[in-house]
Amino acid sequence: MSTSTVSETVSPGREQTDAAPTNVARARDDHPARARRSDARPTAAPSGCRQTFGRAVRAEWVKVRSLRSTWITSSIAVGITVLLSAAISIGYAGSSELADQAADAVISGNQFGQIVVAVLGALVITGEYSSGQIRSSLAAVPHRGRLLAAKALVVGVLGFLIGAVSTLVTWAVSAPFMDGHAGSLADPEYLGFVWGTGLSFAGIALMALGLGFLLRSTAGAITLALTLLFIIDLPLSLMALKWDWAATLEGFEPLQTAMAVYDPFHHMVTWGQADSMYFLQQWQAALVFGAWAIVPLLAGWVLFARRDA
């Protein structure tokens, strides 16, 4: 009787012992983490997470518009262009000798606005290098050519808007005080001042952006841009009084060739004048101006693709 009792006592324990491995194995198989690991399969990234050129452009626009320096520099560019152009237009309209030129004087202050836009173009990229944000930009957009192209598109469009708005505001401000000498925006040739100024501002901004990629220094890029746009003109103007080659070099300056773009119907300048800084044909001057914008960008792209951030 004791033997049967012992067997009855031990038997349930044996059943529990024999069942334990089975229960443990079942528990392991039912563990959610193990199930996920065993069922994991390599899947492609969702299409909504892929980096595209459109998303890169959107990100660059968000960065540019969120910077206080963008709005300050843009306001200065528009303000100085409108102030000088409107003052000259109104002054011409009040002069009997210059009244006929008053309508075309709405672009007289463009060169000063372009200098400020050059500062804006350089700051877009050099500001990222000085703050270290360029590393975050490259982490988000590893394709460096795509990143440069996105920045160039944003800067070019911003420069175009600044130039076009400057001309429109100049006309709106000066027209009521010009005694009927103001031009008409319904005239296609006169409207050329608007989009021509926009294109010239965009070209200068892209040139400065390319210099920023080349030098990666705010002070260096702005200094070189101002030298090419303004400072170099002073000694060349003096040397041109004695040497013809200096006048030839002066005709290739970005601010001189920009006139072929923001004055598309040559109201202010007659091109093709021998023995002067306007010896180029208008289309040749426009190509030279385009080279001032494209060549620094291409050189900046080559170095940007090869150098570390």
Side-chain angles (χ1 to χ4, degrees):
M1 182 168 182
S2 62
T3 303
S4 61
T5 304
V6 171
S7 62
E8 290 176 359
T9 306
V10 174
S11 179
R14 288 178 179 176
E15 292 177 358
Q16 292 177 359
T17 304
D18 295 340
T22 304
N23 295 335
V24 172
R26 185 180 298 111
R28 290 177 179 175
D29 292 339
D30 293 340
H31 195 279
R34 184 176 296 275
R36 285 196 298 268
R37 286 198 296 269
S38 62
D39 295 339
R41 296 290 186 274
T43 57
S47 58
C49 299
R50 289 183 301 176
Q51 179 56 250
T52 63
F53 180 70
R55 289 190 173 92
V57 171
R58 188 182 309 156
E60 291 302 321
W61 169 241
V62 170
K63 284 191 292 185
V64 168
R65 77 181 183 187
S66 62
L67 294 174
R68 185 181 302 173
S69 60
T70 299
W71 298 105
I72 294 176
T73 311
S74 300
S75 300
I76 293 175
V78 173
I80 195 171
T81 304
V82 171
L83 180 63
L84 294 175
S85 299
I88 294 174
S89 298
I90 295 172
Y92 277 20
S95 171
S96 57
E97 299 177 355
L98 302 174
D100 294 338
Q101 305 175 30
D104 299 335
V106 292
I107 57 174
S108 300
N110 281 4
Q111 294 185 341
F112 296 93
Q114 288 167 348
I115 293 174
V116 182
V117 167
V119 176
L120 174 61
L123 285 174
V124 168
I125 179 60
T126 58
E128 290 199 25
Y129 276 109
S130 62
S131 64
Q133 188 181 3
I134 188 64
R135 298 184 182 89
S136 300
S137 298
L138 289 174
V141 187
H143 195 294
R144 297 195 175 203
R146 180 180 297 168
L147 179 62
L148 186 146
K151 286 184 179 294
L153 180 59
V154 170
V155 169
V157 171
L158 182 60
F160 180 88
L161 292 176
I162 292 174
V165 168
S166 297
T167 304
L168 289 174
V169 174
T170 298
W171 178 85
V173 169
S174 59
F177 304 98
M178 295 178 64
D179 299 326
H181 294 289
S184 173
L185 295 180
D187 182 2
E189 287 197 6
Y190 195 76
L191 194 61
F193 287 146
V194 178
W195 57 261
T197 300
L199 289 177
S200 67
F201 275 51
I204 295 297
L206 291 175
M207 181 192 75
L209 178 68
L211 295 178
F213 272 105
L214 281 171
L215 301 179
R216 303 199 293 186
S217 166
T218 300
I222 292 177
T223 300
L224 182 55
L226 293 182
T227 299
L228 293 173
L229 293 175
F230 182 71
I231 298 175
I232 197 174
D233 185 63
L234 300 177
L236 284 179
S237 298
L238 296 176
M239 290 187 292
L241 299 175
K242 184 176 182 180
W243 297 294
D244 294 337
W245 61 265
T248 301
L249 289 179
E250 196 175 9
F252 286 102
E253 293 178 3
L255 284 187
Q256 301 299 339
T257 54
M259 297 185 69
V261 178
Y262 65 73
D263 182 18
F265 298 101
H266 48 83
H267 286 258
M268 300 286 288
V269 173
T270 301
W271 295 94
Q273 302 179 48
D275 301 326
S276 72
M277 72 175 66
Y278 304 112
F279 65 93
L280 294 173
Q281 297 296 325
Q282 184 175 14
W283 65 270
Q284 294 173 327
L287 286 179
V288 172
F289 178 75
W292 278 112
I294 295 174
V295 172
L297 269 180
L298 291 178
W301 172 73
V302 171
L303 291 183
F304 184 54
R306 296 182 177 181
R307 294 188 300 195
D308 294 333

